[in-house]
Amino acid sequence: MPQLTWVGKDKVKNHHHDVPFRLLNTQYTFTAKEGMPANSTGNKIIHGDNLEALKSLLPEFEGKVNCIYIDPPYNTGNEGWVYNDNVNDPKIKKWLGQVVGKEGEDLSRHDKWLCMMYPRLKLLHRLLADDGVIFISIDDNEQAHLKLVMDEVFGAGNFVADVIWQHSIQGKNDAKSFSLHHNHTLVYRKSIKFTLGRVSRRDEHNISYSNPDNDPKGDWRSGDVRSPNYRENLKYIVKTPSGKQIEPPQNGWRWSEDVFWDKYASGEITFVSNETKVLRKIYLCEQGGRVPETIWFGVDVGTTREANNELKEFFSESPFDTPKPTRLIERVLQLATHKNAIILDSFAGSGTTAHAVLKQNAQDGGNRQFILIEMMDYAQTITAERVRRVMNGYGEGTKAVSGLGGNFDYISVGEPLFLDDGNLNEVVGEASIRQYVAYSERVTLDTSDTLQAVNPHCLGLKDDALFVFYYQVNAITALSMDFLATLAVNNLISRPNSYVIYADKCTLTPDIMQKYGITFKRIPRDITRF
Ligand SMILES: C[S@@+](CC[C@H](N)C(=O)[O-])C[C@H]1O[C@@H](n2cnc3c(N)ncnc32)[C@H](O)[C@@H]1O
């Protein structure tokens, strides 16, 4: 399969492993005022660089996010975005802090953009559930590059569509070339487990249905009765109830003979034109939603102008050039989320995704949760502020919009778990360290009284193995016979078959370790960095 190369690719391919794992600190929880309807709780708005924030989300959300929508910088040369990732390479370090320039002015602009995106896409891929899907808005500046990189990170076989969104309707007569009206939305699934939803039907989609014969099942339209491919068993002569014979079409009928008569019995097939023709009825009442098209029109899902007008309802002027309209993200949610889905937007901007999630929940009684990440300081004054207003209601007089309810945690990206010298950063506290180690061992942290009674340093049990993290701030811990004696495993219903025990050092002999099935892991050396 062809792959894209660019300056710095070899340096960023594994950069997501080098990104320090940092704690997520809840600054406050905002809850809609009393009297607002119920909506989802536990939503998150994270203020920080998404590379670090995405990494910090892994312990709780790896493989759990159902739908990702991102709208990264398009690299137009007008956004003023800056490459700031701390990649340890002299060439890349030269890029730090410089605004990425326009085509022709900045020869490494596409390399910088790809270096920025690659590790983020790797982390997004890990966060996505097996039946999840990602939608990425992009324009022609980077669409072709992004497509190749997505093929690499998500797998070309998981490409679902490149949806064209008509972002503006009115022509631009002063355009130097074509008048540009679309963005791309690349859609990739995590695996074949993803199922694409349907879009709601509107009256114009039903115009070919009617009920000329007063069919009790209501409006219908005629459907094709011919098989698209030739098959011998589909070529049979149909004998009508009054004894007439109808020859099969060139490839045969659409169904085998048994199925044909079952459909006749159910009324789906009838004979018309004096029993010389077969009519297949496709009933409107049996049509669910519509299969989504790959072109989304502005009238259906909104335009950039609509998005700017939406923002003006919250803020005196639109703080972005190209926000997305809420209806566009609602379409994404309708196609890709169930009522309890987790939706992630790691380039949150004005918080359109949160707005759409709350609206969709209000519409169908769902409990979808959003996680937004925004690095700029306006995470508080714009992103979170918009969401607060959507939850509480906004606007005045005839323009008043009722609140949708719900709550969210406002979170900042905090201290790293490991110091530069590789030691644990004790400032983060023992509880956070234990949580991390449990996650790195894929053990569910068990804080039950039963396990605490075995030993307060126990993390949990997995596959009959007991995991213990014997760690004390400002003290050297030793896995010794004395420590083993403190493990009151008799408190468990069945004794563990083996033990994974972390400590600063180990004084057990190899024989003892083998006898009890003990694996020793040294702190911090053997704590997995991911
Ligand atoms: C094109 S805007 C998104 C607009 C958004 N879809 C809306 O409707 O308002 C991209 C946003 O991503 C943010 N961003 C860019 N790089 C980021 C990073 N590394 N971490 C977090 N946010 C980032 C920018 O600050 C900007 O607000």
Side-chain angles (χ1 to χ4, degrees):
M1 194 187 78
Q3 283 201 350
L4 187 66
T5 55
W6 64 89
V7 175
K9 181 176 184 182
D10 52 331
K11 302 295 179 303
V12 296
K13 269 201 105 162
N14 290 313
H15 181 57
H16 59 291
H17 294 304
D18 302 335
V19 176
F21 179 88
R22 290 177 182 273
L23 293 200
L24 293 176
N25 298 325
T26 301
Q27 303 294 321
Y28 63 85
T29 300
F30 174 85
T31 303
K33 66 186 181 198
E34 242 177 54
M36 291 298 113
N39 209 315
S40 58
T41 56
N43 298 296
K44 298 181 195 314
I45 298 179
I46 304 173
H47 177 206
D49 190 303
N50 52 21
L51 189 59
E52 291 179 332
L54 290 172
K55 182 118 181 201
S56 306
L57 285 170
L58 283 174
E60 200 179 342
F61 291 101
E62 182 164 18
K64 297 208 177 116
V65 174
N66 304 97
C67 176
I68 297 173
Y69 170 77
I70 55 168
D71 181 15
Y74 286 0
N75 212 10
T76 57
N78 297 323
E79 297 137 319
W81 82 275
V82 173
Y83 181 82
N84 256 337
D85 293 349
N86 190 19
V87 177
N88 193 12
D89 176 70
K91 200 177 289 168
I92 293 188
K93 277 190 187 311
K94 274 199 219 148
W95 296 347
L96 286 184
Q98 290 172 25
V99 176
V100 176
K102 286 190 199 321
E103 195 73 68
E105 290 171 7
D106 179 349
L107 298 180
S108 52
R109 63 197 293 271
H110 297 292
D111 307 274
K112 289 172 187 162
W113 190 86
L114 287 161
C115 283
M116 184 275 289
M117 287 302 287
Y118 194 89
R120 288 166 176 82
L121 293 174
K122 283 278 207 189
L123 291 171
L124 289 169
H125 184 256
R126 279 177 70 172
L127 286 161
L128 206 54
D130 280 351
D131 59 356
V133 65
I134 179 168
F135 291 73
I136 311 183
S137 288
I138 200 70
D139 77 1
D140 290 326
N141 283 287
E142 297 295 353
Q143 182 274 343
H145 299 141
L146 180 64
K147 172 78 175 57
L148 286 173
V149 171
M150 286 299 287
D151 282 350
E152 190 177 323
V153 176
F154 279 71
N158 288 320
F159 170 72
V160 178
D162 176 1
V163 174
I164 299 301
W165 168 51
Q166 184 197 22
H167 58 58
S168 54
I169 294 174
Q170 267 168 352
K172 295 166 199 140
N173 259 344
D174 55 349
K176 291 199 183 82
S177 176
F178 283 93
S179 168
L180 192 66
H181 291 268
H182 74 278
N183 275 182
H184 300 265
T185 316
L186 292 187
V187 187
Y188 279 75
R189 61 186 185 190
K190 177 82 173 269
S191 75
I192 51 166
K193 290 187 182 156
F194 167 68
T195 344
L196 183 67
R198 296 284 181 267
V199 241
S200 341
R201 302 179 75 83
R202 288 195 319 269
D203 287 349
E204 70 252 37
H205 302 126
N206 302 336
I207 46 177
S208 49
Y209 291 82
S210 62
N211 195 357
D213 56 353
N214 280 327
D215 190 311
K217 280 176 81 175
D219 289 0
W220 55 270
R221 68 174 173 84
S222 63
D224 205 341
V225 295
R226 298 165 304 174
S227 168
N229 304 308
Y230 177 82
R231 287 229 312 270
E232 191 59 44
N233 68 325
L234 303 178
K235 292 271 292 192
Y236 50 86
I237 293 172
V238 170
K239 294 195 186 75
T240 70
S242 66
K244 292 194 171 144
Q245 297 199 343
I246 308 179
E247 290 290 327
Q250 198 175 10
N251 283 338
W253 301 103
R254 212 174 173 82
W255 316 273
S256 66
E257 199 162 357
D258 289 352
V259 176
F260 185 102
W261 289 109
D262 284 349
K263 290 193 178 287
Y264 175 74
S266 74
E268 187 183 327
I269 284 174
T270 55
F271 299 110
V272 290
S273 304
N274 204 14
E275 292 198 356
T276 57
K277 282 189 179 151
V278 175
L279 171 74
R280 170 185 168 209
K281 288 179 168 179
I282 296 179
Y283 290 100
L284 181 56
C285 65
E286 288 171 358
Q287 303 309 304
R290 210 162 37 91
V291 174
E293 294 90 11
T294 50
I295 301 183
W296 294 2
F297 294 102
V299 286
D300 295 328
V301 296
T303 56
T304 306
R305 176 177 291 200
E306 177 173 313
N308 277 313
N309 288 338
E310 280 180 332
L311 278 185
K312 283 181 198 152
E313 291 175 30
F314 300 98
F315 309 106
S316 51
E317 57 185 55
S318 174
F320 298 103
D321 291 340
T322 55
K324 296 295 178 281
T326 314
R327 288 198 288 155
L328 177 74
I329 317 297
E330 283 178 85
R331 165 70 64 92
V332 168
L333 299 177
Q334 281 155 16
L335 292 178
T337 67
H338 53 74
K339 288 185 180 177
N340 292 310
I342 297 174
I343 295 109
L344 169 64
D345 180 347
S346 53
F347 292 89
S350 67
T352 312
T353 299
H355 192 166
V357 167
L358 292 167
K359 268 174 97 176
Q360 192 60 36
N361 282 343
Q363 230 170 70
D364 63 9
N367 193 33
R368 295 171 187 79
Q369 284 184 324
F370 60 79
I371 304 170
L372 304 189
I373 307 171
E374 173 54 56
M375 72 177 178
M376 301 300 278
D377 286 346
Y378 56 66
Q380 173 69 280
T381 52
I382 292 175
T383 321
E385 181 58 20
R386 175 176 184 182
V387 180
R388 279 192 283 269
R389 293 192 197 184
V390 170
M391 287 180 169
N392 270 349
Y394 57 97
E396 283 173 1
T398 52
K399 288 194 167 169
V401 178
S402 310
L404 300 179
N407 90 4
F408 68 86
D409 293 331
Y410 187 83
I411 294 167
S412 63
V413 179
E415 291 279 330
L417 199 95
F418 295 97
L419 299 170
D420 286 347
D421 62 9
N423 280 319
L424 284 166
N425 182 4
E426 298 188 335
V427 170
V428 304
E430 198 177 330
S432 302
I433 296 171
R434 285 166 58 77
Q435 213 166 27
Y436 176 93
V437 176
Y439 165 69
S440 70
E441 291 286 3
R442 302 290 190 260
V443 175
T444 310
L445 194 63
D446 182 346
T447 51
S448 67
D449 291 345
T450 316
L451 207 68
Q452 290 300 296
V454 174
N455 186 296
H457 296 288
C458 289
L459 294 175
L461 282 151
K462 188 177 76 173
D463 305 332
D464 290 334
L466 179 64
F467 286 75
V468 183
F469 187 64
Y470 183 27
Y471 169 77
Q472 281 172 344
V473 177
N474 298 328
I476 302 289
T477 60
L479 169 53
S480 59
M481 289 307 285
D482 285 349
F483 180 70
L484 280 191
T486 68
L487 295 180
V489 284
N490 288 339
N491 286 318
L492 296 170
I493 295 169
S494 57
R495 290 175 76 92
N497 281 336
S498 58
Y499 300 81
V500 176
I501 303 179
Y502 284 82
D504 292 313
K505 61 181 187 178
C506 175
T507 59
L508 298 180
T509 63
D511 286 351
I512 291 286
M513 290 176 65
Q514 194 177 12
K515 181 173 168 196
Y516 293 109
I518 296 171
T519 305
F520 166 64
K521 292 200 174 180
R522 190 183 297 281
I523 301 172
R525 183 195 64 194
D526 295 331
I527 302 176
T528 306
R529 272 62 158 177
F530 54 87

